Amino acid sequence: MAKKIEKICCIGAGYVGGPTMSVVAKQCPEIEITIVDMNEARIAAWNDCDLNNLPVYEPGLAEIVAEARGRNLFFSTDVDKAIAEADMIFISVNTPTKTYGKGKGMAADLKFIELCARQIAAVAKTDKIVVEKSTLPVRTAAALKSILDNTGNGVNFHILSNPEFLAEGTAVEDLLNPDRVLIGGENAEAIQALVDIYAQWVPEERILTTNLWSSELSKLTANAFLAQRVSSINSISELCEKTGANVDEVSKAIGLDSRIGPKFLKASVGFGGSCFQKDILNLVYIARSYNLHAVADYWDQVILMNDHQKHRFADNIIQTLYNTVSGKKIAFLGWAFKKDTNDTRESAAIYVADYLLSEEAEITIYDPKVSAERIYADLDYLNTRSSAENRRLVRVVSDPYEATSEAHAIAVLTEWDEFKGYDWARIKQEMKRPSFIFDGRKLLNRAQLEEIGFNYYAIGE
Ligand SMILES: NC(=O)C1=CN([C@@H]2O[C@H](COP(=O)(O)OP(=O)(O)OC[C@H]3O[C@@H](n4cnc5c(N)ncnc54)[C@H](O)[C@@H]3O)[C@@H](O)[C@H]2O)C=CC1
Ligand SMILES: O=C(O)[C@H]1O[C@H](OP(=O)(O)OP(=O)(O)OC[C@H]2O[C@@H](n3ccc(=O)[nH]c3=O)[C@H](O)[C@@H]2O)[C@H](O)[C@@H](O)[C@@H]1O
């Protein structure tokens, strides 16, 4: 019989910790869950009475937080207390690409993970099951175990790997109906304790148990395969543009082959998000560290193709606008890395904007969920020009018609549904002529827009 878990602590109240634990709290009302974070502002936002102020926007999430918060779901900055009281501790902190030292620009930065392990070791006075929820390099559990066992108070720690496969924008749905839940571990009782939690709402045949290393490596592999599909179809999109083929037609034709399948074949301006690039870079780094250079080079191509796609989208705008965008107003519709999220990490929009700004374009941005502050922070982070210069060249507005008015061109960077329903005749009326649209998401209706008089360009057509 596995130990029944009564109290869970989750370290990290971000895009994974927040939604994941909210859903566990909803499905397991008898378990008390405390999500802790050292970021006070983030915890305050999770505790905000106004659910519109939650730090993560996900369809359906606010309702779940409203149901569970204060009942069996708590958000706190008191990390030590939550660790001390919990039977099971999820580590859901960020594991970004290293920006310094050995492995800079490639390896995952594990300093936040190590800090968690040291804090758990220092505080724990009772046995704990420690669950890796963050995405980690294969064999990280060995390092965690070494820290916990050597610096702890003599209590027993069992480590499990339980990577998260949710996608942003559909996090709640993905958590409620996961394709699979993956649990890697060595201790049968600890594994069973976590299986028992998920089994409250996930069919048992979708709960897969493996050894620790397969679980850790499966997460990196899943993201690499998904990103590879996007880069593969994006590579074909360029060939379509040269040959008269239409990439949507090609996607459909190949996707109907049951061995290939229809998902993740949508050509785009390039994949973004906090994880695809970081996880592939990490995979490449790990392969190189084992001297597997052919393996590393193979996966590296996925990133190179993605960079190429963003670059050529921006280049096409410049070329089409008579080889100069200097002083021209370009309207960006969308800044988030995909629809239905306020997350902008590694969004293709950032890189397209940066490229156009270096050509002295003046960009006006509208995104239904992303704040101006976030957009400026994204651009400043690249360090290409001064913060003052970014603010001089970029305007962020809350009305799409204001963004597009007097613009030479519109670039669609995120596939927000609302863009489809705009009054495109009015937009055309208020733009400079000729009026160009560059659809990086293949979202809009070519026939309708050409009828109105737009010059419409879409990826892969
Ligand atoms: N964002 C996503 O959709 C997915 C992310 N992942 C993985 O999950 C992990 C977390 O990702 P996100 O939630 O997006 O990151 P995030 O950056 O949104 O959240 C991480 C949180 O951890 C907190 N934190 C860091 N160190 C801490 C410490 N020592 N004590 C207390 N709090 C600490 C930070 O303040 C931050 O609020 C990453 O490894 C990521 O690769 C996995 C699946 C999906
Ligand atoms: O580890 C993670 O962080 C997560 O990464 C991705 O989820 P996410 O990045 O949230 O979103 P996706 O739907 O995968 O989209 C990623 C990027 O690829 C782009 N994309 C996706 C699919 C497609 O066909 N074409 C395409 O360009 C999206 O627009 C977006 O920019 C994976 O889908 C999740 O399973 C994983 O848990």
Side-chain angles (χ1 to χ4, degrees):
M1 258 296 274
K3 178 176 164 31
K4 197 162 162 19
I5 301 300
E6 290 172 3
K7 286 194 180 187
I8 287 178
C9 157
C10 172
I11 310 179
Y15 282 86
V16 168
T20 307
M21 290 299 129
S22 297
V23 168
V24 176
K26 172 183 165 58
Q27 303 298 70
C28 307
E30 72 291 352
I31 302 180
E32 186 181 309
I33 300 177
T34 306
I35 309 180
V36 291
D37 204 296
M38 57 191 182
N39 181 334
E40 287 180 13
R42 216 166 202 186
I43 290 298
W46 280 112
N47 281 322
D48 203 304
C49 306
D50 183 351
L51 291 165
N52 290 316
N53 293 337
L54 295 184
V56 172
Y57 171 73
E58 281 291 341
L61 179 62
E63 291 79 354
I64 293 178
V65 171
E67 176 190 332
R69 196 174 60 184
R71 179 189 70 190
N72 66 323
L73 178 64
F74 302 91
F75 296 91
S76 165
T77 50
D78 194 343
V79 183
D80 282 356
K81 178 165 181 278
I83 291 174
E85 292 178 353
D87 318 298
M88 184 178 270
I89 300 163
F90 286 79
I91 302 181
S92 192
V93 300
N94 36 331
T95 49
T97 304
K98 266 187 95 175
T99 53
Y100 56 89
K102 194 173 172 214
K104 177 180 174 179
M106 297 292 293
D109 191 343
L110 298 180
K111 70 179 172 206
F112 303 110
I113 294 284
E114 178 162 346
L115 276 174
C116 290
R118 289 188 183 276
Q119 195 163 0
I120 294 169
V123 170
K125 299 279 178 340
T126 54
D127 294 355
K128 311 280 180 201
I129 298 173
V130 177
V131 185
E132 299 174 343
K133 190 47 125 176
S134 299
T135 302
L136 297 169
V138 55
R139 296 207 69 83
T140 303
L144 278 182
K145 181 119 185 80
S146 167
I147 293 168
L148 288 168
D149 287 347
N150 287 299
T151 53
N153 301 315
V155 299
N156 289 314
F157 294 105
H158 293 301
I159 298 182
L160 299 177
S161 159
N162 173 222
E164 184 47 62
F165 295 101
L166 70 82
E168 289 179 28
T170 53
V172 170
E173 177 55 26
D174 294 343
L175 288 162
L176 288 172
N177 293 302
D179 285 352
R180 80 316 207 171
V181 166
L182 180 56
I183 300 172
E186 284 166 347
N187 180 281
E189 235 182 82
I191 293 173
Q192 193 57 45
L194 188 53
V195 168
D196 288 346
I197 293 175
Y198 283 109
Q200 306 236 19
W201 78 98
V202 180
E204 295 244 8
E205 65 276 10
R206 289 205 219 150
I207 304 177
L208 189 66
T209 57
T210 65
N211 78 27
L212 273 169
W213 322 123
S214 305
S215 175
E216 289 178 336
L217 187 56
S218 294
K219 173 63 196 178
L220 293 181
T221 308
N223 274 358
F225 269 61
L226 290 168
Q228 180 214 44
R229 276 176 75 98
V230 179
S231 275
S232 295
I233 200 64
N234 280 345
S235 75
I236 298 300
S237 75
E238 190 170 13
L239 202 51
C240 287
E241 289 166 29
K242 298 283 180 218
T243 57
N246 180 316
V247 75
D248 276 348
E249 293 179 354
V250 175
S251 293
K252 184 163 186 197
I254 64 167
L256 284 171
D257 185 324
S258 60
R259 294 167 303 176
I260 295 176
K263 295 183 180 167
F264 260 71
L265 287 179
K266 183 81 183 158
S268 68
V269 54
F271 61 74
S274 62
C275 294
F276 278 179
Q277 172 160 307
K278 140 178 109 62
D279 291 349
I280 295 177
L281 289 172
N282 187 14
L283 193 65
V284 169
Y285 182 77
I286 294 168
R288 287 213 197 285
S289 72
Y290 287 103
N291 275 322
L292 305 180
H293 296 295
V295 177
D297 290 346
Y298 178 79
W299 289 108
D300 214 11
Q301 283 300 318
V302 175
I303 303 281
L304 294 179
M305 181 50 65
N306 198 48
D307 289 341
H308 172 67
Q309 189 76 348
K310 293 181 271 193
H311 203 262
R312 80 179 187 85
F313 180 78
D315 244 353
N316 184 35
I317 296 178
I318 298 163
Q319 273 181 33
T320 311
L321 295 186
Y322 315 105
N323 287 313
T324 177
V325 288
S326 179
K328 290 182 180 165
K329 175 174 174 180
I330 316 270
F332 269 34
L333 294 182
W335 189 261
F337 81 99
K338 62 187 280 197
K339 74 171 179 178
D340 292 340
T341 176
N342 61 347
D343 195 347
T344 66
R345 290 177 289 182
E346 290 301 325
S347 178
I350 304 171
Y351 297 93
V352 174
D354 189 53
Y355 193 69
L356 294 175
L357 291 172
S358 295
E359 293 288 328
E360 300 182 345
E362 293 178 7
I363 303 181
T364 306
I365 301 165
Y366 167 76
D367 185 290
K369 287 285 173 206
V370 180
S371 67
E373 196 187 6
R374 180 71 262 151
I375 292 173
Y376 290 125
D378 289 338
L379 287 169
D380 290 349
Y381 184 77
L382 296 182
N383 246 330
T384 314
R385 63 195 70 71
S386 71
S387 179
E389 189 67 353
N390 280 331
R391 276 156 189 75
R392 188 178 73 77
L393 293 171
V394 176
R395 252 182 3 112
V396 182
V397 296
S398 53
D399 174 6
Y401 296 96
E402 190 184 339
T404 52
S405 165
E406 296 294 323
H408 287 261
I410 295 173
V412 179
L413 276 309
T414 313
E415 71 282 24
W416 287 101
D417 289 330
E418 66 169 62
F419 299 165
K420 289 188 273 192
Y422 287 171
D423 181 348
W424 285 99
R426 172 184 163 193
I427 290 175
K428 170 79 182 64
Q429 205 61 41
E430 295 170 357
M431 274 177 76
K432 292 255 195 276
R433 285 154 205 211
S435 318
F436 296 95
I437 299 184
F438 299 90
D439 190 344
R441 295 296 183 163
K442 298 173 69 59
L443 179 77
L444 305 176
N445 184 324
R446 172 186 288 281
Q448 181 207 354
L449 294 171
E450 287 182 344
E451 172 79 30
I452 294 171
F454 279 107
N455 294 345
Y456 177 78
Y457 292 82
I459 291 275
E461 288 178 14

